[in-house]
Amino acid sequence: MTCEDLRVFVAACQAGSLSAVARDLSRTRSAVSQHVKTLEQATGVRLLERRPRGVVPTPEGRVLRSAAHEGITGLDLALRRLGELARGETGAVRVTTGATSVRHFMSEAVVAFRDRHPGGVLEFRTETSGRSCFDALAEGAVDLAWVTIGAPVRGVGQRTVMELPWVLAVRADDPLARRSRITPADLAGGGHIRLPENSSSRTHLDTAFARLGVRLTSDTGVADRDTAILLAGLGMGRAVVPALPGQAATGPVKFLPLPELPPLPVGWAVRRWTALNPPARSFAGLIEEQHGAA
């Protein structure tokens, strides 16, 4: 049993097809199949179930897939760090998050990081959902993920850095803009600009409204929070969005607090804090220093 056997096996589990793995690795299907057979002979159990449209791991295969994926990802991370040390590099920090998070949460920390680590490199990878961020972590493609904190994810640690209150973004001439207090019940009905369906913030918000017995009717869907605010300013509807650091009303938009909605927890997700290289720990710490008390 070799690391290559395990890598091919994990790839087959993820792709659900030996042929697809063969194409991706520029090998024959029989060569890929032989790696799996080697593992099955070594473990004494069947690891993959062949089906007309591909393969799926057996219960025993799922056990091995989980352990192998964890070990391979950790090994790849260690090899990357060893390579950086051998080249005399301080190390790159790979961060994944949503499209607007770097601007709203990280701009000051980026400047501070460059001052502390002149030779350090920050790499940002934009994802469209929290699930994609967690997948990037699981694949070993990134070191840190800035996410909405939610249910536990196997193999990933989450740390809340701050909690964001919710606000209603409306045009200044909207009737609600003249109210001294807004409650979730005031928002029932249509005319709302909804956050993306696949976003963690949308899930969190929908759950909160459901618990309060408030039903919103969406007239417009958007790709991100900033677009929702822009459309609210254009009179396309009202948008419930998380209030971000330094946020201020501009132009025709007014932000009205919604204190009855539970705040949105956001923060870091990592595979293992102890496995982060010093620059990655430093960057994570800078964000916590800046926003941890918020």
Side-chain angles (χ1 to χ4, degrees), residues 84-264:
E84 292 168 351
L85 291 171
R87 295 189 296 271
E89 299 174 356
T90 59
V93 181
R94 303 169 301 169
V95 183
T96 184
T97 187
T100 62
S101 294
V102 175
R103 179 168 70 255
H104 290 296
F105 294 101
M106 302 181 182
S107 55
E108 294 182 18
V110 168
V111 175
F113 178 84
R114 292 177 65 85
D115 290 339
R116 289 190 186 183
H117 305 276
V121 177
L122 283 173
E123 301 175 0
F124 291 98
R125 169 171 166 171
T126 299
E127 298 290 352
T128 58
S129 68
R131 180 68 265 171
S132 297
C133 290
F134 287 123
D135 289 343
L137 277 176
E139 294 165 3
V142 296
D143 305 301
L144 294 161
W146 182 262
V147 298
T148 297
I149 303 299
V153 177
R154 184 175 181 180
V156 174
Q158 301 180 61
R159 178 185 295 174
T160 299
V161 175
M162 62 190 305
E163 293 187 329
L164 307 176
W166 293 94
V167 295
L168 178 67
V170 298
R171 277 183 63 91
D173 58 2
D174 188 291
L176 286 181
R178 298 191 292 271
R179 300 274 295 274
S180 60
R181 177 180 173 81
I182 302 293
T183 69
D186 296 324
L187 308 181
H192 287 275
I193 302 166
R194 305 297 295 277
L195 296 172
E197 285 192 40
N198 62 344
S199 67
S200 300
S201 54
R202 166 72 176 270
T203 300
H204 187 281
L205 187 60
D206 286 349
T207 300
F209 275 118
R211 288 175 177 171
L212 293 168
V214 176
R215 178 178 174 80
L216 300 183
T217 302
S218 175
D219 292 340
T220 307
V222 296
D224 57 62
R225 171 193 174 278
D226 287 355
T227 302
I229 294 173
L230 173 63
L231 294 180
L234 295 174
M236 296 289 291
R238 301 161 177 166
V240 180
V241 297
L244 301 186
Q247 175 178 270
T250 57
V253 177
K254 186 173 182 179
F255 294 119
L256 309 174
L258 290 166
E260 292 183 27
L261 292 178
L264 183 72

